[in-house]
Amino acid sequence: MSSSRTYEEKRPEKASSGFEFLKGVGQVAGGTLLSVTMLTSSIVAGGLVGLAISFRNLPDVRTLRNFFPSETTYIYDVKGKLLTSIHGEANREVVSLDRISPELKRAVLASEDADFYYHHGINPKGVGRAVLTNWSAGGVREGGSTVTMQLVKNLFLSRRREVTRKIAEAVLAIRLEQILTKDQILEMYLNQVYWGHNNYGVQTAARSYFNKSVENLTLAESAMMAGLIQAPEQYSPFVSMKKAKYQQKEVLGRMLTLGWITQQEYDKALQEKIKLGKIRSFQGSALPYVTNTVAAELARKFGREALLKGGMRVQTTVDTDFQRMAEETVAKWHNRLLSQGLRRNQMALVAIDPRTHYIKALVGGVDSKTSEFNRATQALRQPGSAFKPFVYYAAFATGKYAPSSTVIDSPVRYRDGSGWYYPRNYDGGYAGAMSIRTALAQSRNIPVIKLGKAVGMNKVVETSRTLGIMSPMEPVTSLPLGAIGVTPLEMASAYATFANYGWQSPTTIIMRVTDSSGNVLLDNTPKPQQVLDPWASAATIDIMRAVINEGTGKNAAIGRPAAGKTGTTSSEKDIWFVGTVPQLTTAVWVGRDDNRQLASGATGGTMVAPIWRDFMNRALKGVPAESFKPPSRFPRPKSR
């Protein structure tokens, strides 16, 4: 059964392919015996249909025509390596009947319902025996359920063992066989039944128990799996191979008695050495910061129900080895900063390909085992001076300013409510006239505030929104100094747009999503749009190059053209370095979860730029150096 196919209304004249299947494995059923069995079945069925008058509130089995069982969602890295699986109450991967090993189909029917293709929902022989046993015992002691009855019980009824429930099973089973074919019922059953260790459906169970697809199961493996159905955890080979082998022998014996296998096949299956897989259903994620971010994005786009039960196949933009390298870099520098006196520091790192806006690495903390809180996507922290390029871009976009334009670093005050606001530089002094390039390279505060006031703080807010910064912000005088909360992901995405000269695609960690049948649900092939002026973007990159070449970001020099900006808040609670080359943009943040001061004198230039440099050198190993396009390659906007 594939998740894209519904169960059409169909009741065959004969038992169709299932009947041929049983004949092919040696089912002995004389015409007289078959006729008597069907006649008895019809009589019993008729009686139960009469009883159905008292079961008016039973579920409508016709809903199963469009039934889609819940399936597990699988998340893969960019190269197809499985990272994790996500499911609600059922860890399941649905497969069609023709993809299920014939050996397993024989084994299950031999164990659970050998007359499946000959009855009409109930088996008179089995029901009669169970009724007598239960009547004598004064309660439910024996089941006698057919595969069809088990299916309706699993889908519609409670687990309580009551006589009334058994009658309800029979009524619903008869109804179900009137609208679905035998093959459809068997397919649904095999995909629905519980196999132990939170595995639902034959495919997930086969992968867990034997590390192979269900279509490749041997007779020995099939018999062992079929023996699990009645008590999966009790007979699990992971729990007791002795009990699993006992059940396997019981199933093989039943198949031999039915004539469905030969003595030689029986002996060979018993002697076959079983190679177990491993329990997969409760394994943690390989890359929790990545997979949790993927899960959150999927839930936003498709809803939580689809995430848990929709059986999606998700290809991410992240390479496992690259992500591991990023995590190792963060862990290494966390320890170094501890040795430098930065106690209880946390870190986040986000790397984005500016050409596609695909996330290539995302590290939300120093250790996901101790804290899965994702500081890369969830922590709103002040960017400090790393915000200044947004102000300078807004000025360049007016056409009135260029990197060489002069600004004055001198004392200034602004009305702030009933008082005055006196902005200061980090060093407390003033440097007089300087170019915009120098002002950013030296991270002077006064010039950027003056420029922000000149172009209008509302224009700065508008630029920030265009760049994808959605955090709350007000057009206040201190805005150019980064007096807002942003995430490292927002900062990396914004700088990536500068690095691509104003071209922007939605930043994502998901490349492609399909359902279990391969139908495409989401295709995040980049569809870039020009959202910023290309000349102003190139000019912003140009002045950020000066930060690394001659300014506060000298510790970020990597021996190839690079642009970036340091960030340090006035109270030294947050320190940053955000930088880029044409092929990769990376933001690194360091701070404390309790939002207290890291250490006196902690700055982005001295403590974070080296982390960025180390990561970029490792990330770009073997990648040819590229130069940025100069502003002269683009037409300058007209002054307005």
Side-chain angles (χ1 to χ4, degrees):
M1 177 182 65
S2 67
S3 61
S4 63
R5 190 170 76 252
T6 60
Y7 294 99
E8 55 187 290
E9 185 173 5
K10 184 178 180 184
R11 174 64 178 157
E13 296 287 333
K14 299 180 181 179
S16 70
S17 62
F19 181 73
E20 298 301 325
F21 159 69
L22 286 181
K23 285 201 303 181
V25 295
Q27 168 72 358
V28 179
T32 302
L33 176 60
L34 178 59
S35 300
V36 170
T37 301
M38 293 183 69
L39 176 60
T40 308
S41 177
S42 298
I43 293 172
V44 176
L48 287 173
V49 169
L51 288 174
I53 296 173
S54 62
F55 290 92
R56 296 183 184 276
N57 294 325
L58 287 177
D60 186 352
V61 295
R62 289 175 295 180
T63 60
L64 294 185
R65 293 173 183 159
N66 300 305
F67 175 71
F68 298 103
S70 62
E71 290 189 67
T72 300
T73 290
Y74 294 94
I75 299 176
Y76 303 88
D77 81 348
V78 71
K79 294 181 179 178
K81 181 178 181 179
L82 180 64
L83 299 179
T84 194
S85 58
I86 300 174
H87 50 83
E89 78 287 352
N91 179 32
R92 177 185 290 111
E93 183 177 348
V94 174
V95 291
S96 59
L97 191 63
D98 59 10
R99 286 188 55 205
I100 298 173
S101 165
E103 307 286 13
L104 182 63
K105 287 183 278 192
R106 293 187 187 100
V108 169
L109 291 180
S111 174
E112 301 298 314
D113 190 358
D115 297 321
F116 174 70
Y117 280 101
Y118 298 96
H119 60 63
H120 293 265
I122 62 171
N123 186 344
K125 293 183 294 184
V127 172
R129 183 177 63 250
V131 168
L132 290 175
T133 301
N134 295 334
W135 184 271
S136 301
V140 178
R141 293 290 181 271
E142 187 172 323
S145 294
T146 64
V147 160
T148 314
M149 293 170 70
Q150 289 181 50
L151 177 61
V152 295
K153 176 186 69 176
N154 290 339
L155 291 175
F156 293 125
L157 303 176
S158 73
R159 300 286 178 175
R160 296 180 61 185
R161 302 191 74 182
E162 298 174 342
V163 173
T164 52
R165 193 208 70 190
K166 186 62 64 177
I167 297 174
E169 280 180 26
V171 172
L172 290 174
I174 293 169
R175 291 178 180 175
L176 184 60
E177 296 234 358
Q178 292 172 347
I179 64 170
L180 298 184
T181 69
K182 286 288 188 178
D183 283 355
Q184 289 171 330
I185 292 170
L186 181 60
E187 180 180 293
M188 188 180 289
Y189 173 81
L190 292 172
N191 280 295
Q192 190 69 26
V193 73
Y194 179 60
W195 299 89
H197 305 294
N198 203 36
N199 291 300
Y200 291 79
V202 288
Q203 179 73 313
T204 309
R207 294 194 190 282
S208 258
Y209 286 111
F210 307 115
N211 196 30
K212 59 172 64 175
S213 176
V214 68
E215 58 194 325
N216 298 321
L217 292 180
T218 65
L219 174 59
E221 294 163 340
S222 297
M224 184 170 286
M225 257 186 66
L228 298 175
I229 294 176
Q230 294 304 318
E233 263 84 20
Q234 180 180 344
Y235 298 133
S236 165
F238 293 126
V239 176
S240 171
M241 180 57 77
K242 183 178 179 181
K243 290 183 179 180
K245 290 290 289 184
Y246 175 84
Q247 287 297 106
Q248 177 198 49
K249 186 175 181 180
E250 289 288 304
V251 174
L252 289 170
R254 177 65 174 154
M255 296 176 77
L256 181 62
T257 300
L258 290 168
W260 293 3
I261 60 173
T262 65
Q263 183 67 49
Q264 183 180 6
E265 289 172 321
Y266 172 87
D267 294 338
K268 181 180 178 183
L270 282 180
Q271 294 169 7
E272 181 179 315
K273 183 178 180 181
I274 298 294
K275 296 180 181 179
L276 288 179
K278 54 186 176 181
I279 302 175
R280 297 164 173 249
S281 54
F282 298 114
Q283 288 182 319
S285 166
L287 306 172
Y289 287 126
V290 170
T291 53
N292 290 348
T293 302
V294 171
E297 190 168 329
L298 289 172
R300 284 194 299 270
K301 291 183 181 295
F302 300 102
R304 184 161 179 80
E305 186 81 359
L307 169 66
L308 295 176
K309 301 180 179 181
M312 293 182 280
R313 307 296 186 262
V314 186
Q315 183 185 19
T316 69
T317 59
V318 174
D319 174 79
T320 298
D321 293 337
F322 194 86
Q323 173 71 16
R324 293 280 191 211
M325 180 272 291
E327 293 176 356
E328 290 167 3
T329 302
V330 166
K332 178 179 75 175
W333 282 93
H334 167 65
N335 291 328
R336 288 193 183 181
L337 293 179
L338 286 176
S339 67
Q340 295 173 24
L342 269 68
R343 290 173 167 261
R344 299 175 64 184
N345 72 84
Q346 272 292 348
M347 297 175 63
L349 182 152
V350 181
I352 294 175
D353 185 334
R355 300 161 297 187
T356 61
H357 267 71
Y358 282 164
I359 296 172
K360 308 309 292 182
L362 188 146
V363 185
V366 298
D367 185 0
S368 62
K369 294 183 179 66
T370 58
S371 171
E372 287 195 13
F373 176 64
N374 197 331
R375 296 154 191 85
T377 62
Q378 296 173 295
L380 293 173
R381 308 299 296 237
Q382 290 195 6
S385 294
F387 188 86
K388 289 175 180 175
F390 307 151
V391 182
Y392 286 118
Y393 167 82
F396 294 150
T398 65
K400 298 177 181 178
Y401 302 91
S404 58
S405 297
T406 299
V407 288
I408 308 298
D409 181 18
S410 61
V412 68
R413 67 175 184 172
Y414 298 98
R415 174 65 70 179
D416 182 17
S418 59
W420 293 90
Y421 169 53
Y422 296 88
R424 299 178 60 192
N425 290 308
Y426 185 78
D427 62 7
Y430 305 95
M434 63 180 63
S435 68
I436 286 179
R437 181 182 288 105
T438 301
L440 184 67
Q442 296 181 4
S443 199
R444 309 303 289 180
N445 292 338
I446 307 300
V448 76
I449 289 177
K450 288 182 176 180
L451 209 56
K453 296 290 284 186
V455 300
M457 293 300 179
N458 284 318
K459 197 68 178 176
V460 176
V461 172
E462 180 184 325
T463 296
S464 301
R465 296 295 186 227
T466 300
L467 286 166
I469 296 177
M470 295 296 118
S471 304
M473 66 178 76
E474 297 293 332
V476 296
T477 304
S478 59
L479 178 61
L481 304 184
I484 60 167
V486 297
T487 67
L489 176 59
E490 287 178 319
M491 292 298 288
S493 178
Y495 275 53
T497 302
F498 288 140
N500 204 27
Y501 313 104
W503 288 94
Q504 182 188 73
S505 296
T507 301
T508 183
I509 198 167
I510 297 174
M511 183 175 291
R512 181 181 172 91
V513 180
T514 67
D515 62 19
S516 58
S517 298
N519 300 306
V520 177
L521 304 178
L522 178 66
D523 182 358
N524 277 336
T525 299
K527 301 175 181 63
Q529 294 183 328
Q530 185 89 59
V531 298
L532 298 181
D533 180 83
W535 180 89
S537 299
T540 305
I541 289 291
D542 181 67
I543 62 174
M544 286 198 293
R545 290 194 62 194
V547 173
I548 294 176
N549 293 338
E550 59 197 61
T552 59
K554 288 181 180 179
N555 287 329
I558 55 176
R560 65 170 73 201
K565 185 67 188 76
T566 54
T568 305
T569 58
S570 58
S571 53
E572 290 140 346
K573 295 178 181 178
D574 300 283
I575 53 179
W576 299 72
F577 192 85
V578 189
T580 187
V581 297
Q583 306 100 313
L584 190 67
T585 304
T586 302
V588 182
W589 163 85
V590 177
R592 287 176 53 145
D593 285 342
D594 59 10
N595 204 31
R596 298 178 65 180
Q597 183 187 41
L598 282 163
S600 178
T603 67
T606 59
M607 293 185 170
V608 189
I611 304 173
W612 185 90
R613 179 186 64 212
D614 185 21
F615 171 76
M616 293 296 279
N617 279 331
R618 298 178 69 182
L620 297 170
K621 187 177 181 179
V623 178
E626 288 187 17
S627 297
F628 289 104
K629 298 175 184 178
S632 59
R633 290 279 300 275
F634 304 97
R636 183 172 175 174
K638 294 181 179 180
S639 178
R640 60 182 189 274

